[in-house]
PDB file of all heavy atoms in Angstrom:
ATOM      1  N   TYR A  45      -4.594   1.289   3.414  1.00 95.00           N
ATOM      2  CA  TYR A  45      -4.012   2.024   2.296  1.00 95.00           C
ATOM      3  C   TYR A  45      -4.809   1.805   1.009  1.00 95.00           C
ATOM      4  O   TYR A  45      -4.944   2.727   0.200  1.00 95.00           O
ATOM      5  CB  TYR A  45      -2.545   1.652   2.092  1.00 95.00           C
ATOM      6  CG  TYR A  45      -1.625   2.457   2.975  1.00 95.00           C
ATOM      7  CD1 TYR A  45      -1.038   1.899   4.097  1.00 95.00           C
ATOM      8  CD2 TYR A  45      -1.344   3.782   2.693  1.00 95.00           C
ATOM      9  CE1 TYR A  45      -0.204   2.634   4.915  1.00 95.00           C
ATOM     10  CE2 TYR A  45      -0.513   4.538   3.504  1.00 95.00           C
ATOM     11  CZ  TYR A  45       0.057   3.964   4.610  1.00 95.00           C
ATOM     12  OH  TYR A  45       0.880   4.705   5.425  1.00 95.00           O
ATOM     13  N   ALA A  46      -5.346   0.625   0.805  1.00 97.00           N
ATOM     14  CA  ALA A  46      -6.146   0.354  -0.395  1.00 97.00           C
ATOM     15  C   ALA A  46      -7.395   1.232  -0.417  1.00 97.00           C
ATOM     16  O   ALA A  46      -7.697   1.873  -1.440  1.00 97.00           O
ATOM     17  CB  ALA A  46      -6.532  -1.117  -0.462  1.00 97.00           C
ATOM     18  N   VAL A  47      -8.102   1.278   0.690  1.00 95.00           N
ATOM     19  CA  VAL A  47      -9.322   2.087   0.766  1.00 95.00           C
ATOM     20  C   VAL A  47      -8.984   3.564   0.631  1.00 95.00           C
ATOM     21  O   VAL A  47      -9.651   4.309  -0.101  1.00 95.00           O
ATOM     22  CB  VAL A  47     -10.090   1.805   2.078  1.00 95.00           C
ATOM     23  CG1 VAL A  47     -11.202   2.818   2.303  1.00 95.00           C
ATOM     24  CG2 VAL A  47     -10.640   0.389   2.058  1.00 95.00           C
ATOM     25  N   TYR A  48      -7.923   4.004   1.300  1.00 93.00           N
ATOM     26  CA  TYR A  48      -7.546   5.419   1.222  1.00 93.00           C
ATOM     27  C   TYR A  48      -7.149   5.798  -0.204  1.00 93.00           C
ATOM     28  O   TYR A  48      -7.576   6.838  -0.716  1.00 93.00           O
ATOM     29  CB  TYR A  48      -6.417   5.747   2.199  1.00 93.00           C
ATOM     30  CG  TYR A  48      -6.076   7.216   2.131  1.00 93.00           C
ATOM     31  CD1 TYR A  48      -6.929   8.161   2.688  1.00 93.00           C
ATOM     32  CD2 TYR A  48      -4.945   7.665   1.467  1.00 93.00           C
ATOM     33  CE1 TYR A  48      -6.658   9.510   2.599  1.00 93.00           C
ATOM     34  CE2 TYR A  48      -4.666   9.007   1.369  1.00 93.00           C
ATOM     35  CZ  TYR A  48      -5.521   9.932   1.936  1.00 93.00           C
ATOM     36  OH  TYR A  48      -5.255  11.281   1.829  1.00 93.00           O
ATOM     37  N   CYS A  49      -6.361   4.959  -0.859  1.00 94.00           N
ATOM     38  CA  CYS A  49      -5.945   5.260  -2.238  1.00 94.00           C
ATOM     39  C   CYS A  49      -7.137   5.263  -3.193  1.00 94.00           C
ATOM     40  O   CYS A  49      -7.206   6.105  -4.088  1.00 94.00           O
ATOM     41  CB  CYS A  49      -4.894   4.263  -2.722  1.00 94.00           C
ATOM     42  SG  CYS A  49      -3.259   4.555  -2.032  1.00 94.00           S
ATOM     43  N   ALA A  50      -8.070   4.358  -3.001  1.00 95.00           N
ATOM     44  CA  ALA A  50      -9.252   4.314  -3.869  1.00 95.00           C
ATOM     45  C   ALA A  50     -10.084   5.585  -3.714  1.00 95.00           C
ATOM     46  O   ALA A  50     -10.462   6.213  -4.708  1.00 95.00           O
ATOM     47  CB  ALA A  50     -10.091   3.077  -3.567  1.00 95.00           C
ATOM     48  N   GLN A  51     -10.348   5.984  -2.484  1.00 93.00           N
ATOM     49  CA  GLN A  51     -11.136   7.204  -2.284  1.00 93.00           C
ATOM     50  C   GLN A  51     -10.351   8.428  -2.711  1.00 93.00           C
ATOM     51  O   GLN A  51     -10.907   9.384  -3.239  1.00 93.00           O
ATOM     52  CB  GLN A  51     -11.657   7.313  -0.848  1.00 93.00           C
ATOM     53  CG  GLN A  51     -10.677   7.699   0.216  1.00 93.00           C
ATOM     54  CD  GLN A  51     -10.438   9.196   0.351  1.00 93.00           C
ATOM     55  OE1 GLN A  51     -11.276  10.005   0.040  1.00 93.00           O
ATOM     56  NE2 GLN A  51      -9.249   9.544   0.799  1.00 93.00           N
ATOM     57  N   ASN A  52      -9.036   8.418  -2.531  1.00 91.00           N
ATOM     58  CA  ASN A  52      -8.207   9.545  -2.958  1.00 91.00           C
ATOM     59  C   ASN A  52      -8.225   9.671  -4.484  1.00 91.00           C
ATOM     60  O   ASN A  52      -8.291  10.773  -5.019  1.00 91.00           O
ATOM     61  CB  ASN A  52      -6.777   9.380  -2.447  1.00 91.00           C
ATOM     62  CG  ASN A  52      -5.963  10.641  -2.618  1.00 91.00           C
ATOM     63  OD1 ASN A  52      -6.369  11.701  -2.170  1.00 91.00           O
ATOM     64  ND2 ASN A  52      -4.830  10.521  -3.277  1.00 91.00           N
ATOM     65  N   PHE A  53      -8.181   8.538  -5.174  1.00 92.00           N
ATOM     66  CA  PHE A  53      -8.230   8.591  -6.632  1.00 92.00           C
ATOM     67  C   PHE A  53      -9.567   9.144  -7.111  1.00 92.00           C
ATOM     68  O   PHE A  53      -9.622   9.965  -8.031  1.00 92.00           O
ATOM     69  CB  PHE A  53      -7.987   7.219  -7.260  1.00 92.00           C
ATOM     70  CG  PHE A  53      -8.037   7.253  -8.758  1.00 92.00           C
ATOM     71  CD1 PHE A  53      -7.000   7.829  -9.478  1.00 92.00           C
ATOM     72  CD2 PHE A  53      -9.124   6.755  -9.444  1.00 92.00           C
ATOM     73  CE1 PHE A  53      -7.056   7.897 -10.854  1.00 92.00           C
ATOM     74  CE2 PHE A  53      -9.193   6.815 -10.822  1.00 92.00           C
ATOM     75  CZ  PHE A  53      -8.143   7.396 -11.539  1.00 92.00           C
ATOM     76  N   LEU A  54     -10.643   8.713  -6.493  1.00 92.00           N
ATOM     77  CA  LEU A  54     -11.959   9.210  -6.891  1.00 92.00           C
ATOM     78  C   LEU A  54     -12.099  10.704  -6.628  1.00 92.00           C
ATOM     79  O   LEU A  54     -12.756  11.418  -7.381  1.00 92.00           O
ATOM     80  CB  LEU A  54     -13.060   8.444  -6.161  1.00 92.00           C
ATOM     81  CG  LEU A  54     -13.182   6.968  -6.542  1.00 92.00           C
ATOM     82  CD1 LEU A  54     -14.201   6.284  -5.642  1.00 92.00           C
ATOM     83  CD2 LEU A  54     -13.555   6.817  -8.008  1.00 92.00           C
ATOM     84  N   HIS A  55     -11.468  11.181  -5.571  1.00 90.00           N
ATOM     85  CA  HIS A  55     -11.575  12.592  -5.199  1.00 90.00           C
ATOM     86  C   HIS A  55     -10.540  13.464  -5.915  1.00 90.00           C
ATOM     87  O   HIS A  55     -10.887  14.476  -6.509  1.00 90.00           O
ATOM     88  CB  HIS A  55     -11.438  12.740  -3.683  1.00 90.00           C
ATOM     89  CG  HIS A  55     -11.590  14.147  -3.216  1.00 90.00           C
ATOM     90  ND1 HIS A  55     -10.517  14.946  -2.954  1.00 90.00           N
ATOM     91  CD2 HIS A  55     -12.698  14.910  -2.990  1.00 90.00           C
ATOM     92  CE1 HIS A  55     -10.944  16.136  -2.575  1.00 90.00           C
ATOM     93  NE2 HIS A  55     -12.268  16.130  -2.584  1.00 90.00           N
ATOM     94  N   CYS A  56      -9.270  13.063  -5.860  1.00 87.00           N
ATOM     95  CA  CYS A  56      -8.183  13.908  -6.373  1.00 87.00           C
ATOM     96  C   CYS A  56      -7.629  13.457  -7.720  1.00 87.00           C
ATOM     97  O   CYS A  56      -6.962  14.231  -8.391  1.00 87.00           O
ATOM     98  CB  CYS A  56      -7.028  13.937  -5.367  1.00 87.00           C
ATOM     99  SG  CYS A  56      -7.471  14.566  -3.760  1.00 87.00           S
ATOM    100  N   ARG A  57      -7.825  12.179  -8.082  1.00 91.00           N
ATOM    101  CA  ARG A  57      -7.357  11.599  -9.339  1.00 91.00           C
ATOM    102  C   ARG A  57      -5.828  11.601  -9.464  1.00 91.00           C
ATOM    103  O   ARG A  57      -5.293  11.786 -10.552  1.00 91.00           O
ATOM    104  CB  ARG A  57      -8.015  12.287 -10.526  1.00 91.00           C
ATOM    105  CG  ARG A  57      -9.522  12.118 -10.484  1.00 91.00           C
ATOM    106  CD  ARG A  57     -10.257  12.407 -11.719  1.00 91.00           C
ATOM    107  NE  ARG A  57      -9.744  11.873 -12.946  1.00 91.00           N
ATOM    108  CZ  ARG A  57     -10.043  10.680 -13.461  1.00 91.00           C
ATOM    109  NH1 ARG A  57     -10.844   9.878 -12.800  1.00 91.00           N
ATOM    110  NH2 ARG A  57      -9.567  10.302 -14.604  1.00 91.00           N
ATOM    111  N   GLU A  58      -5.125  11.403  -8.340  1.00 91.00           N
ATOM    112  CA  GLU A  58      -3.668  11.294  -8.402  1.00 91.00           C
ATOM    113  C   GLU A  58      -3.298  10.012  -9.140  1.00 91.00           C
ATOM    114  O   GLU A  58      -3.883   8.951  -8.906  1.00 91.00           O
ATOM    115  CB  GLU A  58      -3.064  11.310  -7.002  1.00 91.00           C
ATOM    116  CG  GLU A  58      -3.182  12.664  -6.323  1.00 91.00           C
ATOM    117  CD  GLU A  58      -2.587  12.683  -4.929  1.00 91.00           C
ATOM    118  OE1 GLU A  58      -1.711  11.848  -4.632  1.00 91.00           O
ATOM    119  OE2 GLU A  58      -3.008  13.535  -4.145  1.00 91.00           O
ATOM    120  N   VAL A  59      -2.317  10.120 -10.019  1.00 94.00           N
ATOM    121  CA  VAL A  59      -1.954   9.021 -10.916  1.00 94.00           C
ATOM    122  C   VAL A  59      -1.576   7.757 -10.149  1.00 94.00           C
ATOM    123  O   VAL A  59      -2.038   6.664 -10.478  1.00 94.00           O
ATOM    124  CB  VAL A  59      -0.806   9.449 -11.861  1.00 94.00           C
ATOM    125  CG1 VAL A  59      -0.295   8.279 -12.668  1.00 94.00           C
ATOM    126  CG2 VAL A  59      -1.268  10.575 -12.775  1.00 94.00           C
ATOM    127  N   HIS A  60      -0.743   7.888  -9.127  1.00 93.00           N
ATOM    128  CA  HIS A  60      -0.264   6.679  -8.440  1.00 93.00           C
ATOM    129  C   HIS A  60      -1.402   5.890  -7.811  1.00 93.00           C
ATOM    130  O   HIS A  60      -1.344   4.666  -7.736  1.00 93.00           O
ATOM    131  CB  HIS A  60       0.808   7.017  -7.393  1.00 93.00           C
ATOM    132  CG  HIS A  60       0.288   7.681  -6.171  1.00 93.00           C
ATOM    133  ND1 HIS A  60       0.207   9.034  -6.042  1.00 93.00           N
ATOM    134  CD2 HIS A  60      -0.174   7.162  -5.015  1.00 93.00           C
ATOM    135  CE1 HIS A  60      -0.290   9.342  -4.862  1.00 93.00           C
ATOM    136  NE2 HIS A  60      -0.536   8.220  -4.210  1.00 93.00           N
ATOM    137  N   CYS A  61      -2.459   6.570  -7.383  1.00 94.00           N
ATOM    138  CA  CYS A  61      -3.574   5.878  -6.729  1.00 94.00           C
ATOM    139  C   CYS A  61      -4.309   4.925  -7.674  1.00 94.00           C
ATOM    140  O   CYS A  61      -4.907   3.953  -7.221  1.00 94.00           O
ATOM    141  CB  CYS A  61      -4.546   6.886  -6.131  1.00 94.00           C
ATOM    142  SG  CYS A  61      -3.899   7.680  -4.640  1.00 94.00           S
ATOM    143  N   ALA A  62      -4.248   5.202  -8.980  1.00 94.00           N
ATOM    144  CA  ALA A  62      -4.869   4.303  -9.958  1.00 94.00           C
ATOM    145  C   ALA A  62      -4.172   2.945  -9.971  1.00 94.00           C
ATOM    146  O   ALA A  62      -4.776   1.934 -10.323  1.00 94.00           O
ATOM    147  CB  ALA A  62      -4.837   4.924 -11.353  1.00 94.00           C
ATOM    148  N   ILE A  63      -2.905   2.909  -9.579  1.00 96.00           N
ATOM    149  CA  ILE A  63      -2.120   1.673  -9.532  1.00 96.00           C
ATOM    150  C   ILE A  63      -2.095   1.095  -8.122  1.00 96.00           C
ATOM    151  O   ILE A  63      -2.283  -0.102  -7.922  1.00 96.00           O
ATOM    152  CB  ILE A  63      -0.665   1.929  -9.995  1.00 96.00           C
ATOM    153  CG1 ILE A  63      -0.629   2.611 -11.361  1.00 96.00           C
ATOM    154  CG2 ILE A  63       0.152   0.646  -9.959  1.00 96.00           C
ATOM    155  CD1 ILE A  63      -1.203   1.840 -12.489  1.00 96.00           C
TER     156      ILE A  63
END
Side-chain angles (χ1 to χ4, degrees):
Y45 275 105
V47 169
Y48 182 74
C49 284
Q51 75 83 27
N52 192 54
F53 180 73
L54 293 174
H55 182 262
C56 301
R57 299 196 46 89
E58 290 180 24
V59 173
H60 73 269
C61 287
I63 307 297

